[in-house]
């Protein structure tokens, strides 16, 4: 098997793919948003329970490929229990990283580093981005008290 | 203008892909350290040197606008442009060149008919009939027309094996039906449809029929006259030619009645400040400067296919499709969508591999230099009908050989091994 492929489908990624975290949809989320990549058919729903400026709970329901599922699962793991400010920072850092920009991940974002290898597969960047973009749009709607509208990374 | 077309052995009326391959420079490419195995021909085919050279020569030696100049270059460009039109007319069964309208592709051809013929002839309570296996290009324009005209849109269903179910064709194509639009070959299932039966029925009730030949003309002998199709549409880029060029064939009588949908230069015969008259066929539908280089390239593409012979191409594809279906069938974790009888289908094979998402599969295959398509193939309703969001599709053409199929099979085995590892 080729090396870059091994880098893309790292064990951590495959583990998240096979047992995604936060996959069970929240019952009464405070806000939720859908993401869709129509040309490839990936569909995702990010739902949040928001406490006093923290993300108390999160679910990411994803129908898609290993990369989009794993990325969504890592998102759920990374943001649960964090403050809204922190989550915004994490999400925009990951988004920049996925887009190939030079960013340093902080210590506690450690695991998310594995998503960086998606850069070597330009056509797959949109798969990894979908959950993060959906989250960012969700947070923006929350902040501006606007209705969410379906996100996409195509 | 002709590039060099190498002699191609035609043996037992079959083509030899290994000789054909030499005419396609891109097939020498290495992709991720492997030879390119190109199995995405339903999306677009590769181009032989003769096509590439002809387009290059146009820009180098003949570049001029068509129908507008009295100088030598304009004359040369116009002659080449019109000679390709004549070749197209010949290629699909010897129709009149004036019945061949150049478009941007299948999509534009269908939109032209829907907007011009459709708006003039389809009204409230009229019926438009298409099938459940249409490409979005042959679905959305009719959906929009039906909405705008308050007409009904009816679908001919497919059955479990991926054939059209024509049991109720007489009630589906009823007296209210004004137009039937059907693909001759499915770009997802590979099914070759009995368009002759559908045309027969449609004509009995006075409806016209548009045949989407995007996947058929490149692979099968097609004669629109004996088929008695009213409109027949296809794209150059799926049959060795350049992108950006397509064809609308229409019966003269129908085209004469139709209004143009684009207005401007070339399509008029006389313009005054307060009026305009349309040019004769086919120019009435060709407003503006067309894709001249495209016509330069499409000529040698048609020559190439003609030289091989469409029967011989079809025979090759039957043999290779049958081989591919057999090999894929041996893999227990592969599910094939569409007919299994190679005589009733073309070389478009959609499938899924258990527990591997089509995107991941496509990425793994790409790492071996194998190009396939993953997605809904612009036929979302059909893909959903199959119970899927997306599938993987391998599609064959004249330069594919058994080695290509073997590489695909090896790739699938690798992918399964790879994704099964945790
Ligand atoms: C059956 C069918 N119809 C229509 C189209 C649209 O062709 P184009 O994109 O060249 O307009 C395609 C190919 O994409 C096709 O396979």
């Amino acid at each position: 098997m080729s090396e870059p492929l091994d880098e893309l489908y790292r064990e951590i990624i495959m583990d998240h793919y096979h047992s995604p975290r936060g996959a069970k949809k929240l019952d009464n989320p405070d806000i939720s948003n859908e993401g869709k990549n129509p040309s490839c058919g990936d569909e995702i729903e990010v739902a949040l329970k928001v406490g006093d400026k923290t993300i108390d709970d999160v679910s990411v329901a994803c129908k898609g490929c290993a990369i989009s599922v794993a990325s969504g699962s890592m998102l759920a793991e990374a943001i649960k229990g964090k403050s809204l400010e922190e989550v915004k920072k994490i999400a925009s850092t990951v988004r920049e990283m996925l887009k190939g920009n030079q960013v340093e991940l902080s210590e506690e974002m450690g695991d998310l580093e594995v998503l960086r290898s998606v850069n070597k597969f330009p056509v797959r960047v949109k798969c990894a981005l979908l959950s993060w973009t959906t989250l960012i749009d969700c947070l923006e709607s929350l902040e501006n008290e606007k209705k969410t509208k379906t996100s996409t990374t195509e | 203008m002709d590039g060099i077309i190498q002699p191609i052995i035609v043996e037992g009326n079959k083509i030899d892909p290994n000789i054909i391959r030499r005419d396609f420079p891109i097939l020498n490419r290495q992709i991720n350290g492997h030879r390119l195995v190109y199995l995405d021909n339903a999306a677009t085919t590769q181009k032989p040197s003769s096509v590439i050279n002809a387009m290059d020569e146009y820009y180098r030696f003949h570049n001029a606008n068509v129908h507008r100049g009295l100088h030598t270059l304009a004359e040369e460009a116009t002659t080449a442009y019109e000679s390709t039109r004549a070749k197209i007319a010949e290629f699909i069964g010897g129709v009149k060149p004036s019945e061949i309208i150049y478009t941007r592709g299948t999509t534009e051809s269908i939109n032209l008919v829907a907007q011009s013929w459709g708006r003039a002839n389809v009204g409230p309570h009229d019926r438009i009939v298409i099938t459940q296996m249409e490409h979005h290009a042959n679905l959305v324009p009719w959906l929009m027309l039906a909405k705008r005209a308050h007409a009904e849109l009816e679908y001919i269903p497919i059955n479990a094996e991926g054939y059209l179910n024509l049991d109720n064709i007489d009630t589906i194509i009823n007296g209210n039906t004004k137009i039937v639009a059907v693909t001759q070959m499915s770009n997802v299932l590979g099914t070759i449809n009995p368009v002759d039966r559908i045309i027969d029925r449609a004509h009995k009730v006075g409806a016209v029929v548009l045949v989407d030949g995007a996947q058929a003309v490149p692979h099968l002998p097609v004669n629109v006259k004996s088929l008695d199709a009213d409109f027949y549409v296809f794209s150059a880029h799926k049959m060795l030619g350049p992108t950006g060029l397509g064809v609308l064939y229409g019966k003269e009588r129908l085209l004469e009645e139709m209004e143009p949908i684009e207005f401007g230069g070339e399509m008029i015969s006389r313009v005054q400040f307060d009026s305009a008259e349309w040019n004769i066929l086919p120019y009435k539908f060709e407003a503006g400067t067309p894709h001249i280089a495209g016509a330069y390239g499409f000529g040698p593409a048609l020559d190439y296919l003609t030289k091989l012979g469409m029967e011989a191409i079809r025979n090759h594809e039957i043999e290779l499709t049958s081989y591919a279906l057999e090999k894929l069938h041996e893999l227990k974790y592969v599910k094939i969508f569409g007919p299994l009888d190679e005589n009733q289908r073309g070389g478009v094979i959609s499938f899924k591999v258990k527990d591997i998402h089509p995107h991941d599969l496509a990425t793994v295959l790409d790492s071996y230099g194998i190009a396939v398509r993953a997605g809904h193939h612009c036929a979302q309703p059909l893909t959903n009908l199959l119970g899927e969001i997306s599938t993987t599709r391998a599609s064959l053409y004249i330069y594919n050989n058994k080695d290509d199929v073997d590489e695909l099979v090896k790739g699938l085995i690798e992918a399964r091994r790879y994704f099964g590892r945790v």
Side-chain angles (χ1 to χ4, degrees):
Chain A
M1 181 58 58
S2 66
E3 248 171 64
L5 208 55
D6 278 338
E7 240 180 275
L8 179 65
Y9 296 110
R10 299 273 273 276
E11 255 170 63
I12 308 184
I13 301 266
M14 296 304 275
D15 180 53
H16 278 274
Y17 174 48
H18 287 297
S19 37
R21 329 291 196 256
K24 193 169 166 297
K25 275 193 195 183
L26 292 182
D27 278 340
N28 291 306
D30 295 306
I31 189 161
S32 68
N33 191 21
E34 279 186 14
K36 274 189 189 161
N37 280 343
S39 87
C40 59
D42 281 358
E43 287 179 14
I44 205 158
E45 189 192 296
V46 174
L48 305 173
K49 261 210 169 322
V50 188
D52 183 24
K53 301 215 159 126
T54 57
I55 302 287
D56 286 350
D57 207 354
V58 47
S59 69
V60 181
C62 181
K63 272 195 266 180
C65 60
I67 303 305
S68 61
V69 171
S71 180
S73 166
M74 295 178 86
L75 177 152
E77 205 172 58
I79 71 166
K80 191 170 167 175
K82 297 251 164 57
S83 74
L84 283 175
E85 279 313 306
E86 277 176 296
V87 170
K88 270 201 280 187
K89 214 150 92 208
I90 294 172
S92 64
T93 310
V94 173
R95 184 158 73 169
E96 289 312 301
M97 175 181 84
L98 291 173
K99 286 181 170 170
N101 297 326
Q102 280 301 328
V103 285
E104 292 281 326
L105 299 197
S106 64
E107 189 92 359
E108 52 172 12
M109 289 172 66
D111 267 6
L112 294 169
E113 184 70 37
V114 299
L115 289 173
R116 202 188 283 273
S117 50
V118 173
N119 280 322
K120 297 208 180 85
F121 295 80
V123 295
R124 303 304 298 280
V125 168
K126 64 176 183 186
C127 312
L129 262 178
L130 185 60
S131 52
W132 296 94
T133 302
T134 308
L135 171 69
I136 290 168
D137 291 346
C138 202
L139 294 175
E140 269 173 23
S141 298
L142 187 71
E143 205 166 83
N144 304 322
E145 295 177 15
K146 271 192 328 210
K147 265 182 68 182
T148 53
K149 75 172 197 283
T150 306
S151 309
T152 184
T153 55
E154 277 181 346
Chain B
M1 172 180 126
D2 228 49
I4 304 144
I5 294 178
Q6 303 194 342
I8 289 147
I9 296 177
V10 179
E11 215 187 60
N13 203 19
K14 255 186 287 172
I15 54 175
D16 183 343
N18 297 325
I19 293 176
I20 290 173
R21 295 178 71 81
R22 297 181 202 151
D23 295 329
F24 291 77
I26 206 168
L27 296 178
N28 295 324
R29 256 201 78 171
Q30 296 278 308
I31 304 284
N32 297 319
H34 297 265
R35 85 172 171 88
L36 168 64
V37 175
Y38 188 76
L39 297 174
D40 195 16
N41 293 290
T44 196
T45 65
Q46 300 302 343
K47 321 301 173 200
S49 299
S50 59
V51 169
I52 300 166
N53 293 342
M55 296 180 74
D56 188 73
E57 278 167 28
Y58 163 65
Y59 284 123
R60 280 177 197 282
F61 302 113
H62 311 283
N63 182 51
N65 211 327
V66 290
H67 302 303
R68 299 183 187 181
L70 293 172
H71 54 82
T72 304
L73 296 182
E75 176 63 32
E76 287 170 359
T78 304
T79 304
Y81 184 71
E82 291 305 328
S83 92
T84 295
R85 194 195 304 274
K87 273 181 195 168
I88 298 168
E90 199 49 45
F91 192 80
I92 59 168
V95 298
K96 291 186 192 166
S98 59
E99 294 173 310
I100 299 294
I101 319 283
Y102 282 125
T103 63
R104 257 190 318 118
T106 306
T107 304
E108 187 175 79
S109 301
I110 297 170
N111 277 282
L112 199 165
V113 175
Q115 286 177 38
S116 173
W117 193 92
R119 285 191 196 169
N121 293 282
V122 179
H125 313 299
D126 284 341
R127 186 176 270 201
I128 302 165
V129 175
I130 66 175
T131 82
Q132 284 183 333
M133 64 166 85
E134 299 310 316
H135 186 282
H136 294 164
N138 200 28
L139 192 163
V140 187
W142 305 116
L143 192 62
M144 292 298 108
L145 175 63
K147 289 215 160 121
R148 175 184 269 263
H150 302 286
E152 288 184 293
L153 181 60
E154 273 296 319
Y155 291 84
I156 300 174
I158 60 167
N159 63 21
E161 291 104 85
Y163 295 108
L164 289 180
N165 175 351
L166 296 182
D167 293 351
N168 298 320
I169 188 171
D170 290 354
T171 46
I172 295 175
I173 303 178
N174 63 8
N176 295 338
T177 308
K178 287 290 185 299
I179 187 161
V180 179
V182 54
T183 185
Q184 191 169 7
M185 179 166 123
S186 164
N187 67 310
V188 176
L189 303 168
T191 321
I192 298 171
N193 290 323
V195 282
D196 46 349
R197 265 192 72 192
I198 295 171
I199 291 174
D200 245 18
R201 172 62 195 165
H203 285 173
K204 281 215 175 74
V205 298
V208 303
V209 179
L210 176 144
V211 179
D212 175 352
Q215 297 294 344
V217 192
H219 305 278
L220 312 170
V222 167
N223 185 320
V224 298
K225 265 183 163 167
S226 56
L227 210 53
D228 201 18
D230 300 294
F231 297 108
Y232 196 100
V233 299
F234 54 100
S235 300
H237 70 95
K238 292 185 199 285
M239 48 194 300
L240 311 180
T243 55
L245 189 78
V247 173
L248 164 61
Y249 155 77
K251 285 181 181 164
E252 187 173 47
R253 176 178 58 80
L254 295 167
L255 294 175
E256 287 289 3
E257 287 166 14
M258 283 160 57
E259 282 290 306
I261 60 166
E262 284 194 328
F263 308 93
E266 203 71 44
M267 53 78 63
I268 43 73
S269 66
R270 182 183 149 94
V271 179
Q272 293 178 309
F273 281 124
D274 59 358
S275 67
E277 286 162 33
W278 310 148
N279 203 340
I280 54 166
L281 288 177
Y283 311 111
K284 161 170 111 170
F285 294 105
E286 295 179 358
T289 299
H291 188 11
I292 305 165
Y296 264 86
F298 196 31
L302 292 168
D303 292 341
Y304 198 100
L305 294 174
T306 304
K307 194 148 181 161
L308 293 177
M310 293 312 292
E311 291 282 353
I313 290 174
R314 175 66 185 142
N315 291 341
H316 161 71
E317 289 186 18
I318 288 178
E319 185 182 77
L320 196 57
T321 303
S322 151
Y323 180 74
L325 289 172
E326 188 185 305
K327 289 282 160 189
L328 290 174
H329 204 68
E330 285 170 11
L331 305 177
K332 279 192 278 305
Y333 42 82
V334 171
K335 176 175 173 192
I336 299 167
F337 300 101
L340 294 175
D341 175 1
E342 66 272 10
N343 291 303
Q344 300 194 59
R345 55 135 52 241
V348 175
I349 306 174
S350 290
F351 57 93
K352 79 170 186 180
V353 175
K354 198 165 175 287
D355 298 332
I356 309 182
H357 191 281
H359 290 167
D360 297 313
L361 185 59
T363 296
V364 175
L365 293 176
D366 183 59
S367 76
Y368 289 103
I370 304 165
V372 296
R373 171 104 189 251
H376 52 56
H377 319 296
C378 298
Q380 214 165 7
L382 172 62
T383 307
N384 296 346
L385 198 66
L386 299 171
E388 305 295 330
I389 293 178
S390 74
T391 64
T392 307
R393 178 181 76 184
S395 49
L396 310 168
Y397 208 31
I398 52 176
Y399 34 70
N400 290 121
N401 54 24
K402 288 187 174 166
D403 287 347
D404 291 344
V405 174
D406 293 340
E407 288 300 320
L408 172 67
V409 168
K410 269 201 281 186
L412 296 179
I413 293 171
E414 249 335 283
R416 267 296 286 194
R417 203 181 55 71
Y418 194 72
F419 269 79
R421 81 204 142 107
V422 253

